[in-house]
Amino acid sequence: MSQTNPMPIICDCDPGHDDAISLILACSRPELNILAVTTSAGNQTPDKTLNNALRILTLLGRTDLDVAGGTLKPLARDLIIADNVHGESGIDGPTLPKATFSAVSLSAIELIAQKVRQSPQPVILNPTGPLTNIALFLTCYPELHNNVDSIVLMGGAASAGNWTAAAEFNIFVDPEAADIVFKSGIPIVMCGLDVTHQAYILESDIQRIRSISNPVSNCVADLLDFFAQYHKDPKWELKGAPLHDPCTIAWLLQPDLFRTLDCWVGIETKGELTQGMTVVDRYHLSGNPTNAKVLLDVDREGFVELLIGSLERYS
């Protein structure tokens, strides 16, 4: 898409180290027209994720963006947070400025509805946390579905989970919300663990990012230093820190980096051992119609170059 006709997008996130980097990547690119940033509970509590989004946007000089906080807990379950991964603040590691602006008075769901309603082009929804806000928006505003282009989300897996044996964290936190989203009929791009674990950052990549030596690249390097520690546990069998959420933005900017599969994805909400599992029908065994484009592979080197080139734009 040309720079004169950027893609309208709403980023719904729960910062989170990789959410923060995803926002940083999105804000660097003229191909994207960010209409709003909304936050959900997930990687940390809702007050912290909202504050983290405001602080990141303050660093980026994007205090012009409308920001709104979302629901305080999942639709039907108690909140689970990932403070063991993201630390006490949710983005431990870098020294970030205090927020110099505030969230708007609308809720996340109301702000999403306002921006979708006002947009002359269909809007891309970009959730990178639990899907509670998106599910509530879709439920409360069915008349706006036609002005949603697609939902490009980070969540799920076609193979093993990372929070339970079967489930990825974002979907596990609110499977009922994910079920609503995947049944919505709106085109979905699912960036799950299969692809995000391939989008990893090595120590040498962090050094390259730090060598750019602008305030934003230094922040990203500090984020990655902290985030990498959790993923050094041998049980993950990872070569580096996986950048889950930025895969969604990379897909929008450079889809040729990815290998995809169109298939039906169902959400397990009742399983004793499989709550939050994304059941990916890779072989079309269910007879259900395709409802998602699932990303399965990524050109890691191309992904890293896209990130580094985008961070250089902040110089």
Side-chain angles (χ1 to χ4, degrees), residues 68-250:
T71 52
L72 303 183
K73 63 181 291 294
L75 294 181
R77 301 173 189 266
D78 293 332
L79 176 63
I80 299 165
I81 62 171
D83 53 342
N84 59 320
V85 182
H86 297 277
E88 179 62 27
S89 71
I91 45 174
D92 282 8
T95 301
L96 286 168
K98 291 183 178 179
T100 59
F101 70 121
S102 301
V104 299
S105 58
L106 300 175
S107 70
I109 296 95
E110 292 168 329
L111 182 60
I112 293 169
Q114 180 191 84
K115 297 298 184 180
V116 170
R117 182 181 291 112
Q118 293 174 349
S119 177
Q121 292 175 252
V123 175
I124 297 163
L125 302 182
N126 174 223
T128 55
L131 291 167
T132 317
N133 291 336
I134 304 302
L136 285 170
F137 161 72
L138 294 175
T139 302
C140 295
Y141 297 95
E143 73 278 9
L144 297 179
H145 287 201
N146 287 340
N147 212 33
V148 175
D149 174 88
S150 56
I151 300 170
V152 181
L153 64 90
M154 190 278 135
S159 53
N162 67 348
W163 200 254
T164 71
E168 178 274 332
F169 175 78
N170 285 343
I171 306 298
F172 182 82
V173 169
D174 198 343
E176 285 77 17
D179 189 46
I180 290 170
V181 170
F182 276 85
K183 288 177 176 175
S184 67
I186 293 170
I188 290 172
V189 177
M190 175 177 134
C191 302
L193 299 177
D194 313 277
V195 70
T196 67
H197 277 178
Q198 298 175 48
Y200 56 84
I201 300 295
L202 300 170
E203 290 291 337
S204 57
D205 300 321
I206 299 175
Q207 292 172 12
R208 284 185 65 193
I209 289 169
R210 184 167 276 114
S211 71
I212 298 170
S213 197
N214 65 50
V216 178
S217 63
N218 290 339
C219 171
V220 170
D222 290 344
L223 285 165
L224 288 167
D225 281 342
F226 185 92
F227 195 52
Q229 296 306 310
Y230 175 80
H231 295 96
K232 288 179 179 178
D233 189 321
K235 72 181 180 185
W236 299 119
E237 299 179 344
L238 294 171
K239 297 178 181 178
L243 281 189
H244 306 288
D245 299 338
C247 283
T248 61
I249 301 301

Side-chain angles (χ1 to χ4, degrees), residues 15-27 56 91 201 209 219-221 223-224 227 243 245-246 249 303 307 311:
H17 293 72
D18 48 335
D19 300 83
I21 296 170
S22 190
L23 269 181
I24 289 167
L25 179 57
C27 286
I56 289 291
I91 45 174
I201 300 295
I209 289 169
C219 171
V220 170
L223 285 165
L224 288 167
F227 195 52
L243 281 189
D245 299 338
I249 301 301
F303 172 81
L307 176 62
L311 292 173

